[in-house]
């Protein structure tokens, strides 16, 4: 487990399954403890037992089982409230409270915004709490989620929404996919010094058995190939390389298709 302190809460990062991360948001000077995308219940239960604390809330970014499988057991054990997107309520186990961009969850002591981000799934959302973004499977370290239910246009719009966040925003995504994503990034963005530096740094990080996550929005803007179409220099280079039109959506679509085959 790794922990990251923010102004009025601490994020505990728990590895789960093969490459998932579960996050626990521990609000300072309160009894509030929130699980984000509980892939399973055991690690969270153990955390609570060891620290003699109770889980109060569960927030889900989307309905996939590796983000919701712990919902029922944790709700039964702790009577935690389960929160998820209104558009995905029929697919989220044990949901109690539905949210949207216009109706974010009300949890005392936390300023939570909901971002609706279709693409990976049709009802995917992210939660922005101060400078911490819990984005599920929309944005990864140097990557983005596959388009299982949405369209390239939807995902591109969702990524553009994230690109407008403050560059210092911490990106807490739900999987450790960074190194494979960086290997693909090198093939489409070979002259990027920031990318070379990240590859070196994150490779060493994984060799030290540490997570490459959280990243930041600024780091993703500089090195994530699925955000790089926002950069004119990258677009011009990629247009000549891949023989596609020089607009962000077209380039993103081509990149996503290439990554799916990679």
């Amino acid at each position: 487990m790794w922990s990251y302190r923010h102004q009025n809460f601490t994020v505990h990062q728990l590895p789960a399954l093969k490459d998932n991360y579960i996050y626990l948001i521990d609000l300072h000077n309160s009894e509030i403890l929130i699980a984000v995308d509980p892939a399973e219940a055991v690690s969270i239960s153990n955390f609570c037992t060891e620290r003699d604390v109770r889980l109060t809330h569960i927030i889900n970014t989307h309905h996939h089982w590796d983000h919701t499988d712990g919902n029922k057991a944790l709700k039964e054990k702790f009577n935690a409230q389960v929160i998820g997107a209104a558009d995905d309520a029929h697919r989220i186990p044990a949901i109690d409270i539905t949210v949207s961009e216009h109706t974010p969850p009300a949890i005392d002591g936390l300023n939570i915004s909901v971002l609706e981000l279709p693409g990976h799934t049709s009802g995917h959302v992210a939660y922005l709490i101060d400078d911490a973004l819990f984005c599920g499977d929309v944005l990864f370290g140097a990557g983005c989620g596959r388009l299982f239910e949405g369209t390239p246009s939807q995902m591109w719009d969702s990524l553009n929404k994230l690109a407008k966040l403050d560059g210092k925003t911490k990106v807490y995504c739900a999987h450790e996919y960074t190194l494979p994503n960086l290997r693909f990034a090198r093939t489409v963005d070979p002259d990027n010094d920031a990318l070379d530096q990240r590859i070196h740094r994150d490779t060493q990080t994984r060799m030290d058995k540490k997570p490459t996550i959280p990243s930041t929005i600024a780091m993703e803007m500089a090195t994530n190939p699925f955000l790089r179409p926002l950069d004119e220099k990258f677009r011009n280079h990629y247009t000549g390389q891949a023989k596609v039109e020089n607009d962000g959506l077209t380039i993103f679509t081509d990149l996503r298709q290439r990554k799916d085959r990679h």
Side-chain angles (χ1 to χ4, degrees):
M1 184 185 74
W2 299 268
S3 298
Y4 312 93
R5 188 176 179 87
H6 293 258
Q7 184 173 351
N8 67 331
F9 59 90
T10 296
V11 178
H12 305 290
Q13 182 180 28
L14 282 59
L17 306 181
K18 180 182 177 181
D19 49 33
N20 279 65
Y21 289 128
I22 299 169
Y23 299 104
L24 294 175
I25 303 168
D26 187 358
L27 183 60
H28 301 159
N29 304 314
S30 84
E31 296 182 353
I32 291 175
L33 181 67
I34 306 167
V36 182
D37 284 349
E40 43 84 8
V42 173
S43 60
I44 298 171
S45 295
N46 290 343
F47 176 96
C48 291
T49 299
E50 291 166 4
R51 303 202 176 200
D52 192 25
V53 295
R54 184 178 75 87
L55 186 71
T56 58
H57 300 80
I58 296 165
I59 57 178
N60 294 128
T61 60
H62 62 296
H63 69 89
H64 285 163
W65 73 268
D66 60 331
H67 297 253
T68 63
D69 222 30
N71 281 16
K72 290 182 179 179
L74 292 168
K75 181 177 178 177
E76 290 174 2
K77 182 169 184 175
F78 297 106
N79 196 30
Q81 290 187 314
V82 179
I83 298 169
D87 289 345
D88 242 2
H90 61 293
R91 301 192 288 184
I92 294 178
I95 191 168
D96 297 301
I97 299 171
T98 61
V99 298
S100 69
E101 287 189 353
H102 302 294
T103 56
I107 300 176
D108 288 344
L110 289 175
N111 178 27
I112 306 178
S113 299
V114 174
L115 303 176
E116 295 173 1
L117 303 172
H120 179 65
T121 65
S122 59
H124 201 299
V125 298
Y127 301 86
L128 180 65
I129 308 177
D130 296 340
D131 60 343
L133 174 71
F134 300 92
C135 56
D137 286 358
V138 172
L139 186 67
F140 295 131
C144 75
R146 289 178 179 267
L147 278 59
F148 289 124
E149 297 174 6
T151 65
S153 179
Q154 286 179 314
M155 180 63 101
W156 180 237
D157 287 345
S158 294
L159 292 174
N160 272 263
K161 190 178 292 187
L162 295 181
K164 293 180 173 66
L165 298 177
D166 188 285
K168 294 180 181 178
T169 303
K170 293 285 196 303
V171 175
Y172 292 101
C173 63
H175 291 277
E176 182 58 70
Y177 291 162
T178 308
L179 291 190
N181 288 340
L182 287 171
R183 287 194 288 272
F184 172 74
R186 169 68 70 71
T187 68
V188 297
D189 199 8
D191 300 322
N192 186 337
D193 291 340
L195 177 59
D196 290 341
Q197 293 169 18
R198 184 177 188 181
I199 290 170
H200 175 77
R201 181 180 62 254
D202 284 354
T203 299
Q204 185 60 54
T205 295
R206 294 305 289 156
M207 289 176 64
D208 294 338
K209 302 186 184 307
K210 296 177 181 178
T212 63
I213 304 301
S215 176
T216 65
I217 290 294
M219 177 58 66
E220 297 308 323
M221 291 291 291
T223 60
N224 189 320
F226 298 107
L227 290 173
R228 294 284 285 147
L230 294 169
D231 180 86
E232 183 179 5
K233 183 178 179 181
F234 176 85
R235 286 199 310 274
N236 290 336
H237 172 77
Y238 193 84
T239 298
Q241 179 188 49
K243 296 181 173 59
V244 296
E245 294 180 16
N246 189 349
D247 76 274
L249 173 58
T250 302
I251 294 173
F252 166 77
T253 302
D254 190 71
L255 283 166
R256 186 62 261 178
Q257 292 170 349
R258 290 178 65 176
K259 180 64 165 62
D260 290 344
R261 298 190 301 266
H262 192 259

